[in-house]
Coordinates of all heavy atoms in Angstrom, one line a residue:
M1 N 7.2 3.6 5.5 CA 6.1 2.9 6.0 C 5.9 1.6 5.3 O 6.0 1.5 4.1 CB 4.8 3.8 5.8 CG 3.5 3.3 6.4 SD 2.5 2.2 5.4 CE 2.3 3.1 3.9
R2 N 5.7 0.6 6.1 CA 5.5 -0.8 5.6 C 4.1 -1.2 6.2 O 3.9 -1.0 7.4 CB 6.6 -1.7 6.0 CG 6.3 -3.2 5.5 CD 7.3 -4.1 6.0 NE 8.6 -3.8 5.4 CZ 9.8 -3.8 6.1 NH1 9.8 -4.2 7.4 NH2 10.9 -3.5 5.6
A3 N 3.3 -1.8 5.3 CA 2.0 -2.2 5.8 C 1.6 -3.5 5.1 O 2.0 -3.8 4.0 CB 0.9 -1.1 5.5
A4 N 0.9 -4.3 5.8 CA 0.4 -5.6 5.3 C -1.2 -5.6 5.5 O -1.7 -5.4 6.6 CB 1.0 -6.8 6.0
A5 N -1.9 -5.7 4.4 CA -3.3 -5.8 4.4 C -3.8 -7.2 4.2 O -3.2 -8.0 3.4 CB -3.9 -4.9 3.2
S6 N -4.7 -7.6 5.0 CA -5.2 -9.0 5.0 C -6.7 -8.9 4.8 O -7.4 -7.9 5.1 CB -4.8 -9.8 6.2 OG -5.3 -9.1 7.4
G7 N -7.3 -10.1 4.4 CA -8.7 -10.2 4.2 C -8.8 -10.6 2.7 O -8.0 -11.3 2.2
L8 N -9.9 -10.2 2.1 CA -10.1 -10.5 0.6 C -9.4 -9.3 -0.1 O -10.1 -8.3 -0.5 CB -11.6 -10.6 0.3 CG -11.9 -10.9 -1.2 CD1 -11.2 -12.2 -1.7 CD2 -13.4 -10.9 -1.4
V9 N -8.1 -9.4 -0.3 CA -7.3 -8.4 -1.0 C -6.5 -8.8 -2.2 O -5.8 -8.1 -2.8 CB -6.4 -7.7 0.1 CG1 -7.1 -6.9 1.1 CG2 -5.4 -8.7 0.7
Q10 N -6.7 -10.1 -2.6 CA -6.1 -10.6 -3.8 C -7.2 -11.0 -4.8 O -8.2 -11.6 -4.4 CB -5.1 -11.8 -3.5 CG -3.9 -11.3 -2.8 CD -2.8 -12.4 -2.7 OE1 -2.8 -13.4 -3.5 NE2 -1.8 -12.2 -1.8
G11 N -6.9 -10.7 -6.0 CA -7.9 -11.0 -7.1 C -9.1 -10.1 -7.2 O -10.1 -10.4 -7.8
V12 N -9.0 -8.9 -6.5 CA -10.1 -8.0 -6.5 C -9.6 -6.6 -6.9 O -10.4 -5.6 -6.8 CB -10.8 -7.9 -5.1 CG1 -11.5 -9.2 -4.8 CG2 -9.8 -7.5 -4.0
G13 N -8.5 -6.5 -7.5 CA -8.0 -5.2 -7.9 C -7.3 -4.3 -6.9 O -7.1 -3.1 -7.0
Y14 N -7.0 -4.9 -5.7 CA -6.5 -4.2 -4.6 C -5.1 -3.5 -4.9 O -4.9 -2.4 -4.6 CB -6.4 -5.1 -3.4 CG -6.0 -4.3 -2.1 CD1 -7.0 -3.7 -1.4 CD2 -4.7 -4.3 -1.6 CE1 -6.7 -3.0 -0.2 CE2 -4.4 -3.6 -0.4 CZ -5.4 -3.0 0.3 OH -5.1 -2.3 1.4
R15 N -4.2 -4.3 -5.6 CA -2.9 -3.7 -5.9 C -3.0 -2.5 -6.8 O -2.3 -1.5 -6.7 CB -2.0 -4.8 -6.5 CG -1.5 -5.8 -5.5 CD -0.6 -6.9 -6.2 NE -1.4 -7.5 -7.2 CZ -0.9 -8.1 -8.3 NH1 0.4 -8.2 -8.5 NH2 -1.7 -8.7 -9.1
Y16 N -3.9 -2.6 -7.8 CA -4.1 -1.5 -8.8 C -4.7 -0.3 -8.1 O -4.3 0.8 -8.3 CB -4.9 -2.0 -9.9 CG -4.2 -3.1 -10.7 CD1 -4.5 -4.4 -10.4 CD2 -3.2 -2.9 -11.6 CE1 -3.9 -5.5 -11.0 CE2 -2.5 -3.9 -12.2 CZ -2.9 -5.2 -11.9 OH -2.2 -6.2 -12.6
F17 N -5.6 -0.5 -7.2 CA -6.2 0.5 -6.4 C -5.1 1.2 -5.5 O -5.1 2.5 -5.5 CB -7.3 -0.1 -5.4 CG -7.8 0.9 -4.4 CD1 -8.7 1.8 -4.7 CD2 -7.3 0.8 -3.1 CE1 -9.2 2.7 -3.7 CE2 -7.7 1.7 -2.1 CZ -8.7 2.6 -2.4
I18 N -4.3 0.4 -4.9 CA -3.2 1.0 -4.1 C -2.2 1.8 -4.9 O -1.8 2.9 -4.6 CB -2.4 -0.2 -3.3 CG1 -3.3 -0.8 -2.3 CG2 -1.1 0.3 -2.7 CD1 -3.8 0.2 -1.2
Q19 N -1.9 1.3 -6.1 CA -0.9 2.0 -7.0 C -1.6 3.3 -7.4 O -0.9 4.4 -7.3 CB -0.6 1.2 -8.2 CG 0.4 1.9 -9.1 CD 0.6 1.3 -10.4 OE1 -0.3 0.7 -11.0 NE2 1.9 1.3 -10.9
R20 N -2.8 3.3 -7.9 CA -3.5 4.6 -8.3 C -3.5 5.6 -7.1 O -3.3 6.8 -7.3 CB -4.9 4.3 -8.8 CG -4.9 3.7 -10.2 CD -6.3 3.7 -10.8 NE -7.3 3.1 -9.9 CZ -7.6 1.8 -9.8 NH1 -7.0 1.0 -10.5 NH2 -8.6 1.4 -8.9
T21 N -3.9 5.1 -6.0 CA -4.0 6.0 -4.8 C -2.6 6.6 -4.4 O -2.5 7.8 -4.2 CB -4.6 5.2 -3.6 OG1 -5.9 4.7 -4.0 CG2 -4.8 6.1 -2.4
A22 N -1.6 5.7 -4.4 CA -0.3 6.2 -4.1 C 0.2 7.2 -5.0 O 0.8 8.3 -4.6 CB 0.7 5.0 -4.0
V23 N 0.0 7.0 -6.3 CA 0.5 8.0 -7.3 C -0.3 9.3 -7.2 O 0.3 10.3 -7.3 CB 0.3 7.4 -8.8 CG1 0.4 8.4 -9.8 CG2 1.2 6.2 -9.0
S24 N -1.6 9.2 -6.9 CA -2.4 10.4 -6.7 C -1.9 11.2 -5.5 O -2.1 12.5 -5.5 CB -3.8 10.1 -6.6 OG -4.2 9.6 -5.4
M25 N -1.3 10.6 -4.5 CA -0.8 11.2 -3.3 C 0.7 11.5 -3.4 O 1.3 11.9 -2.4 CB -1.1 10.4 -2.1 CG -2.6 10.2 -1.8 SD -2.8 9.2 -0.3 CE -4.6 9.3 -0.2
H26 N 1.3 11.3 -4.5 CA 2.7 11.6 -4.8 C 3.6 10.8 -3.8 O 4.6 11.3 -3.3 CB 3.0 13.1 -4.6 CG 2.2 13.9 -5.5 ND1 2.4 14.0 -6.9 CD2 1.1 14.7 -5.3 CE1 1.5 14.8 -7.4 NE2 0.7 15.2 -6.4
L27 N 3.2 9.5 -3.6 CA 4.0 8.6 -2.8 C 4.9 7.7 -3.7 O 4.5 7.5 -4.9 CB 3.1 7.7 -1.9 CG 2.2 8.4 -1.0 CD1 1.3 7.4 -0.3 CD2 2.9 9.3 0.0
T28 N 6.0 7.2 -3.2 CA 6.8 6.3 -3.9 C 6.9 5.0 -3.1 O 6.6 4.9 -1.9 CB 8.2 6.8 -4.1 OG1 8.8 7.1 -2.8 CG2 8.2 8.1 -4.9
G29 N 7.2 3.9 -3.9 CA 7.3 2.6 -3.2 C 6.8 1.5 -4.1 O 6.9 1.5 -5.3
F30 N 6.2 0.5 -3.4 CA 5.7 -0.7 -4.2 C 4.6 -1.4 -3.4 O 4.4 -1.2 -2.2 CB 6.8 -1.7 -4.5 CG 7.4 -2.4 -3.3 CD1 6.8 -3.6 -2.9 CD2 8.4 -1.9 -2.6 CE1 7.3 -4.3 -1.8 CE2 8.9 -2.6 -1.5 CZ 8.4 -3.7 -1.1
V31 N 3.8 -2.2 -4.2 CA 2.8 -3.1 -3.6 C 3.0 -4.5 -4.2 O 3.3 -4.6 -5.4 CB 1.4 -2.5 -3.8 CG1 1.1 -2.3 -5.3 CG2 0.3 -3.4 -3.2
K32 N 2.8 -5.5 -3.4 CA 2.9 -6.9 -4.0 C 2.1 -7.9 -3.2 O 1.9 -7.7 -2.0 CB 4.3 -7.3 -4.2 CG 5.1 -7.7 -3.0 CD 6.5 -8.1 -3.4 CE 7.1 -9.0 -2.4 NZ 8.4 -9.5 -2.8
N33 N 1.6 -8.9 -3.9 CA 0.9 -10.0 -3.2 C 1.9 -10.8 -2.5 O 3.1 -11.0 -2.9 CB 0.2 -10.9 -4.2 CG -1.1 -10.2 -4.8 OD1 -1.6 -9.3 -4.2 ND2 -1.5 -10.7 -5.9
Q34 N 1.4 -11.4 -1.4 CA 2.3 -12.3 -0.6 C 1.7 -13.7 -0.6 O 0.5 -13.9 -0.9 CB 2.3 -11.9 0.9 CG 2.9 -10.5 1.1 CD 4.4 -10.5 0.8 OE1 5.2 -11.0 1.6 NE2 4.7 -9.9 -0.3
A35 N 2.5 -14.7 -0.4 CA 2.0 -16.1 -0.4 C 0.9 -16.4 0.6 O 0.1 -17.3 0.3 CB 3.2 -17.1 -0.2
D36 N 0.8 -15.7 1.7 CA -0.2 -15.9 2.7 C -1.5 -15.2 2.4 O -2.4 -15.1 3.2 CB 0.3 -15.5 4.1 CG 0.5 -14.0 4.2 OD1 0.3 -13.3 3.2 OD2 0.9 -13.6 5.3
R37 N -1.7 -14.7 1.1 CA -2.9 -14.1 0.6 C -3.0 -12.6 1.1 O -4.0 -12.0 0.9 CB -4.1 -14.8 0.9 CG -4.1 -16.3 0.4 CD -4.2 -16.5 -1.1 NE -5.5 -16.0 -1.6 CZ -5.7 -15.7 -2.9 NH1 -4.7 -15.8 -3.7 NH2 -6.8 -15.3 -3.3
S38 N -2.0 -12.1 1.8 CA -2.0 -10.7 2.2 C -1.4 -9.9 1.1 O -0.8 -10.4 0.1 CB -1.3 -10.5 3.5 OG 0.1 -10.7 3.3
V39 N -1.4 -8.6 1.2 CA -0.7 -7.7 0.3 C 0.2 -6.8 1.1 O -0.2 -6.2 2.1 CB -1.8 -6.8 -0.5 CG1 -1.1 -5.7 -1.3 CG2 -2.6 -7.7 -1.4
L40 N 1.5 -6.7 0.6 CA 2.5 -6.0 1.3 C 2.7 -4.6 0.5 O 2.7 -4.6 -0.7 CB 3.9 -6.7 1.2 CG 5.1 -5.9 1.8 CD1 4.9 -5.7 3.3 CD2 6.3 -6.7 1.4
V41 N 2.8 -3.5 1.3 CA 3.0 -2.2 0.7 C 4.1 -1.6 1.4 O 4.2 -1.6 2.7 CB 1.7 -1.3 0.9 CG1 2.0 0.1 0.4 CG2 0.5 -2.0 0.2
E42 N 5.0 -1.0 0.7 CA 6.1 -0.1 1.3 C 5.9 1.2 0.5 O 5.9 1.3 -0.7 CB 7.5 -0.7 1.1 CG 7.7 -1.8 2.0 CD 9.1 -2.2 2.2 OE1 10.0 -1.4 2.0 OE2 9.4 -3.3 2.7
A43 N 5.8 2.3 1.3 CA 5.6 3.6 0.7 C 6.4 4.7 1.5 O 6.6 4.6 2.7 CB 4.1 4.0 0.7
Q44 N 6.8 5.7 0.7 CA 7.4 6.9 1.3 C 6.8 8.1 0.8 O 6.3 8.2 -0.4 CB 8.9 6.9 0.9 CG 9.7 5.8 1.5 CD 11.2 5.9 1.1 OE1 11.9 6.7 1.6 NE2 11.6 5.0 0.2
G45 N 6.8 9.2 1.6 CA 6.2 10.4 1.2 C 6.0 11.3 2.4 O 6.4 10.9 3.5
Q46 N 5.2 12.3 2.3 CA 4.9 13.2 3.4 C 4.0 12.4 4.4 O 3.1 11.7 4.0 CB 4.1 14.4 2.9 CG 5.0 15.4 2.1 CD 4.1 16.6 1.6 OE1 2.9 16.6 1.8 NE2 4.8 17.5 1.1
E47 N 4.3 12.6 5.7 CA 3.6 11.9 6.7 C 2.1 12.1 6.6 O 1.3 11.1 6.8 CB 4.1 12.3 8.1 CG 3.5 11.5 9.2 CD 4.1 11.8 10.6 OE1 5.1 12.5 10.6 OE2 3.5 11.4 11.6
K48 N 1.6 13.3 6.4 CA 0.2 13.5 6.2 C -0.4 12.7 5.1 O -1.5 12.1 5.3 CB -0.1 15.0 6.0 CG -1.5 15.4 6.0 CD -1.7 16.9 5.8 CE -3.1 17.3 5.9 NZ -3.3 18.7 5.8
M49 N 0.3 12.6 4.0 CA -0.2 11.8 2.9 C -0.2 10.3 3.2 O -1.1 9.6 2.8 CB 0.7 12.1 1.6 CG 0.4 13.4 1.0 SD -1.2 13.5 0.3 CE -1.8 15.0 1.1
L50 N 0.9 9.9 3.9 CA 0.9 8.5 4.3 C -0.2 8.1 5.2 O -0.8 7.0 5.1 CB 2.3 8.2 5.0 CG 3.5 8.1 4.1 CD1 4.8 8.1 4.9 CD2 3.4 7.0 3.1
E51 N -0.6 9.0 6.1 CA -1.7 8.7 7.0 C -3.0 8.6 6.2 O -3.8 7.7 6.5 CB -1.8 9.8 8.1 CG -0.7 9.7 9.1 CD -0.6 10.9 10.0 OE1 -1.4 11.9 9.8 OE2 0.3 10.9 10.9
R52 N -3.2 9.5 5.2 CA -4.4 9.4 4.3 C -4.3 8.1 3.5 O -5.4 7.4 3.3 CB -4.5 10.6 3.4 CG -4.9 11.9 4.1 CD -4.9 13.1 3.2 NE -5.8 12.8 2.1 CZ -5.7 13.5 1.0 NH1 -4.8 14.5 0.9 NH2 -6.5 13.3 0.0
F53 N -3.2 7.7 3.1 CA -3.0 6.5 2.3 C -3.4 5.3 3.1 O -4.0 4.4 2.6 CB -1.5 6.4 1.9 CG -1.1 5.2 1.0 CD1 -1.7 5.1 -0.2 CD2 -0.2 4.3 1.4 CE1 -1.4 4.0 -1.0 CE2 0.2 3.3 0.7 CZ -0.4 3.1 -0.6
I54 N -3.0 5.2 4.4 CA -3.4 4.1 5.2 C -4.9 4.0 5.4 O -5.4 2.9 5.3 CB -2.7 4.2 6.6 CG1 -1.2 4.0 6.5 CG2 -3.2 3.2 7.6 CD1 -0.3 4.5 7.7
L55 N -5.5 5.1 5.5 CA -7.0 5.1 5.5 C -7.6 4.5 4.2 O -8.5 3.7 4.3 CB -7.6 6.5 5.8 CG -7.3 7.1 7.1 CD1 -7.8 8.5 7.2 CD2 -7.9 6.3 8.2
A56 N -7.0 4.9 3.1 CA -7.4 4.3 1.8 C -7.2 2.8 1.8 O -8.0 2.1 1.2 CB -6.7 5.1 0.7
M57 N -6.0 2.4 2.3 CA -5.7 1.0 2.3 C -6.8 0.2 3.1 O -7.2 -0.9 2.7 CB -4.4 0.7 3.0 CG -3.2 1.1 2.1 SD -1.6 0.6 3.0 CE -1.8 -1.2 3.0
K58 N -7.3 0.8 4.2 CA -8.3 0.1 5.0 C -9.6 0.0 4.3 O -10.4 -0.9 4.5 CB -8.4 0.8 6.3 CG -7.2 0.7 7.2 CD -7.3 1.5 8.5 CE -6.1 1.3 9.4 NZ -6.2 2.0 10.6
Q59 N -9.9 1.0 3.4 CA -11.1 1.0 2.6 C -11.0 0.0 1.5 O -11.9 -0.8 1.3 CB -11.4 2.4 2.1 CG -12.6 2.6 1.3 CD -13.9 2.4 2.1 OE1 -13.9 2.8 3.3 NE2 -14.9 1.8 1.5
G60 N -10.0 0.2 0.7 CA -9.8 -0.7 -0.5 C -10.8 -0.4 -1.6 O -11.7 0.4 -1.4
P61 N -10.7 -1.2 -2.7 CA -11.6 -1.0 -3.8 C -12.9 -1.7 -3.5 O -13.0 -2.5 -2.5 CB -10.9 -1.7 -5.0 CG -10.0 -2.7 -4.4 CD -9.6 -2.1 -3.0
E62 N -13.9 -1.5 -4.3 CA -15.3 -2.0 -4.1 C -15.4 -3.5 -3.8 O -16.1 -3.9 -2.9 CB -16.1 -1.6 -5.3 CG -17.6 -2.0 -5.1 CD -18.4 -1.6 -6.3 OE1 -18.0 -0.7 -7.1 OE2 -19.5 -2.1 -6.4
L63 N -14.6 -4.3 -4.5 CA -14.8 -5.8 -4.3 C -14.0 -6.3 -3.2 O -14.1 -7.5 -2.9 CB -14.4 -6.5 -5.6 CG -15.3 -6.2 -6.8 CD1 -14.8 -6.9 -8.1 CD2 -16.8 -6.6 -6.5
S64 N -13.1 -5.5 -2.6 CA -12.3 -6.1 -1.5 C -13.0 -6.1 -0.2 O -14.0 -5.3 0.0 CB -11.0 -5.2 -1.4 OG -11.3 -3.9 -0.9
V65 N -12.5 -6.9 0.7 CA -12.9 -6.9 2.1 C -11.7 -6.9 3.0 O -11.0 -7.9 3.2 CB -13.8 -8.1 2.4 CG1 -14.2 -8.1 3.9 CG2 -15.0 -8.3 1.5
V66 N -11.3 -5.7 3.4 CA -10.0 -5.5 4.1 C -10.4 -5.8 5.6 O -11.1 -5.0 6.2 CB -9.4 -4.1 3.9 CG1 -8.1 -4.0 4.7 CG2 -9.2 -3.8 2.5
E67 N -9.8 -6.8 6.2 CA -10.0 -7.2 7.6 C -9.0 -6.5 8.5 O -9.4 -6.1 9.6 CB -10.0 -8.7 7.7 CG -11.1 -9.4 7.0 CD -10.9 -10.9 7.1 OE1 -10.0 -11.4 7.7 OE2 -11.8 -11.6 6.5
K68 N -7.8 -6.3 8.0 CA -6.8 -5.7 8.9 C -5.7 -5.1 8.1 O -5.3 -5.6 7.0 CB -6.2 -6.8 9.8 CG -5.2 -6.4 10.8 CD -4.7 -7.5 11.7 CE -3.7 -7.1 12.7 NZ -3.2 -8.2 13.5
V69 N -5.1 -4.0 8.5 CA -4.0 -3.4 8.0 C -3.0 -3.2 9.1 O -3.2 -2.4 10.0 CB -4.3 -2.0 7.3 CG1 -3.0 -1.4 6.8 CG2 -5.2 -2.2 6.1
K70 N -1.9 -3.9 9.1 CA -0.8 -3.8 10.1 C 0.2 -2.9 9.5 O 0.8 -3.1 8.5 CB -0.2 -5.2 10.4 CG 0.8 -5.2 11.4 CD 1.4 -6.6 11.7 CE 2.5 -6.5 12.7 NZ 3.1 -7.8 12.9
V71 N 0.5 -1.8 10.3 CA 1.4 -0.7 9.8 C 2.6 -0.7 10.7 O 2.6 -0.8 11.9 CB 0.7 0.7 9.9 CG1 1.7 1.8 9.4 CG2 -0.5 0.7 9.0
E72 N 3.8 -0.5 10.0 CA 5.1 -0.4 10.7 C 5.7 0.9 10.1 O 5.9 1.0 8.9 CB 5.9 -1.6 10.4 CG 7.3 -1.6 11.1 CD 8.1 -2.8 10.7 OE1 7.6 -3.7 10.0 OE2 9.2 -2.9 11.2
W73 N 6.0 1.9 11.0 CA 6.7 3.1 10.5 C 8.2 2.9 10.5 O 8.8 2.4 11.5 CB 6.3 4.2 11.5 CG 4.9 4.6 11.3 CD1 3.9 4.2 12.1 CD2 4.3 5.4 10.3 NE1 2.7 4.7 11.7 CE2 2.9 5.5 10.6 CE3 4.8 6.1 9.2 CZ2 2.1 6.2 9.8 CZ3 3.9 6.8 8.4 CH2 2.6 6.9 8.7
L74 N 8.8 3.2 9.4 CA 10.2 3.0 9.1 C 10.8 4.3 8.7 O 10.2 5.1 8.1 CB 10.4 1.9 8.0 CG 9.8 0.6 8.2 CD1 9.9 -0.2 6.9 CD2 10.4 -0.2 9.3
D75 N 12.1 4.4 8.9 CA 12.9 5.5 8.4 C 13.0 5.3 6.9 O 13.2 4.1 6.5 CB 14.3 5.6 9.0 CG 14.2 6.1 10.4 OD1 13.3 6.8 10.8 OD2 15.1 5.7 11.2
P76 N 12.9 6.3 6.1 CA 13.1 6.1 4.6 C 14.5 5.5 4.3 O 15.5 6.0 4.8 CB 13.0 7.5 4.0 CG 12.2 8.3 5.1 CD 12.6 7.7 6.4
E77 N 14.5 4.5 3.5 CA 15.7 3.8 3.2 C 16.0 3.8 1.7 O 17.2 3.6 1.3 CB 15.6 2.3 3.6 CG 15.5 2.1 5.1 CD 15.5 0.7 5.5 OE1 15.7 -0.2 4.6 OE2 15.2 0.4 6.7
S78 N 15.0 3.9 0.9 CA 15.2 3.8 -0.6 C 15.0 5.1 -1.3 O 14.3 5.9 -0.8 CB 14.3 2.7 -1.1 OG 14.5 2.5 -2.5
D79 N 15.5 5.2 -2.5 CA 15.3 6.3 -3.3 C 14.4 6.0 -4.4 O 14.7 6.1 -5.6 CB 16.7 6.8 -3.9 CG 17.6 7.4 -2.8 OD1 17.0 8.0 -1.9 OD2 18.8 7.2 -2.9
W80 N 13.2 5.5 -4.1 CA 12.2 5.1 -5.1 C 11.8 6.4 -5.9 O 11.8 7.5 -5.3 CB 11.0 4.5 -4.5 CG 11.2 3.2 -3.9 CD1 11.8 2.1 -4.4 CD2 10.8 2.8 -2.6 NE1 11.8 1.0 -3.5 CE2 11.1 1.4 -2.4 CE3 10.1 3.4 -1.6 CZ2 10.9 0.7 -1.2 CZ3 9.8 2.7 -0.4 CH2 10.2 1.4 -0.3
V81 N 11.6 6.3 -7.1 CA 11.2 7.4 -8.0 C 9.7 7.4 -8.4 O 9.2 8.3 -8.9 CB 12.1 7.6 -9.2 CG1 13.5 7.8 -8.8 CG2 12.0 6.3 -10.1
D82 N 9.1 6.2 -8.2 CA 7.7 6.1 -8.5 C 7.0 5.0 -7.6 O 7.7 4.6 -6.7 CB 7.5 5.8 -10.0 CG 8.2 4.5 -10.4 OD1 8.7 3.7 -9.5 OD2 8.2 4.2 -11.6
F83 N 5.8 4.7 -7.9 CA 5.1 3.6 -7.1 C 4.7 2.5 -8.1 O 4.0 2.7 -9.1 CB 3.9 4.2 -6.4 CG 3.4 3.3 -5.4 CD1 3.7 3.5 -4.0 CD2 2.6 2.2 -5.6 CE1 3.3 2.7 -3.0 CE2 2.2 1.3 -4.6 CZ 2.5 1.6 -3.3
Q84 N 5.3 1.3 -7.8 CA 5.1 0.2 -8.8 C 4.4 -1.0 -8.1 O 4.4 -1.2 -6.9 CB 6.5 -0.3 -9.3 CG 7.2 0.8 -10.0 CD 8.5 0.2 -10.6 OE1 8.9 -1.0 -10.4 NE2 9.2 1.0 -11.3
I85 N 3.8 -1.8 -9.0 CA 3.3 -3.1 -8.6 C 4.4 -4.1 -8.9 O 4.9 -4.2 -10.0 CB 2.0 -3.5 -9.4 CG1 0.9 -2.5 -9.2 CG2 1.6 -4.9 -9.2 CD1 -0.3 -2.7 -10.0
S86 N 4.8 -4.8 -7.8 CA 5.8 -5.8 -7.9 C 5.1 -7.2 -8.1 O 4.1 -7.5 -7.5 CB 6.7 -5.8 -6.7 OG 7.4 -4.6 -6.6
F87 N 5.8 -8.0 -8.9 CA 5.2 -9.4 -9.1 C 6.1 -10.4 -8.6 O 7.3 -10.2 -8.3 CB 5.0 -9.6 -10.6 CG 3.9 -8.7 -11.2 CD1 4.3 -7.5 -11.8 CD2 2.6 -9.0 -11.0 CE1 3.3 -6.6 -12.3 CE2 1.6 -8.1 -11.5 CZ 2.0 -7.0 -12.2

């Protein structure tokens, strides 16, 4: 699954929220800021957990204002072993 979150999602702890949430759901992948002020997420795991994860992405941490989460479902391609914040 690949998703891009837009709105007030940089500088508010969004990436750290995403990482903590993903780890708690046993997902693997990464999250990183984009130049257009959106946040890109790629995650793999059980479909049910990914659906819950997307709901969490739409909520975000307290200081964020998530306006949109665009989701693209992909076949798993990588053998990620954890969930990291990419810089």
Side-chain angles (χ1 to χ4, degrees):
M1 182 271 305
R2 178 182 298 140
S6 58
L8 181 57
V9 292
Q10 289 192 17
V12 293
Y14 190 82
R15 289 178 300 155
Y16 299 96
F17 168 83
I18 291 299
Q19 181 189 39
R20 285 191 310 274
T21 303
V23 168
S24 75
M25 294 182 177
H26 306 287
L27 302 177
T28 59
F30 69 87
V31 58
K32 73 179 201 175
N33 286 342
Q34 299 292 287
D36 66 359
R37 307 287 296 159
S38 68
V39 173
L40 175 67
V41 176
E42 288 197 19
Q44 293 183 74
Q46 294 179 349
E47 186 174 345
K48 184 176 183 177
M49 287 294 127
L50 289 169
E51 290 170 356
R52 288 179 53 199
F53 182 63
I54 292 166
L55 292 176
M57 287 183 65
K58 292 177 179 179
Q59 180 70 33
E62 185 177 342
L63 297 177
S64 69
V65 179
V66 182
E67 294 175 359
K68 184 177 180 183
V69 175
K70 182 180 176 186
V71 178
E72 180 181 1
W73 291 97
L74 306 171
D75 290 330
E77 294 181 10
S78 180
D79 293 325
W80 294 311
V81 295
D82 57 9
F83 197 96
Q84 297 184 359
I85 296 174
S86 296
F87 295 95

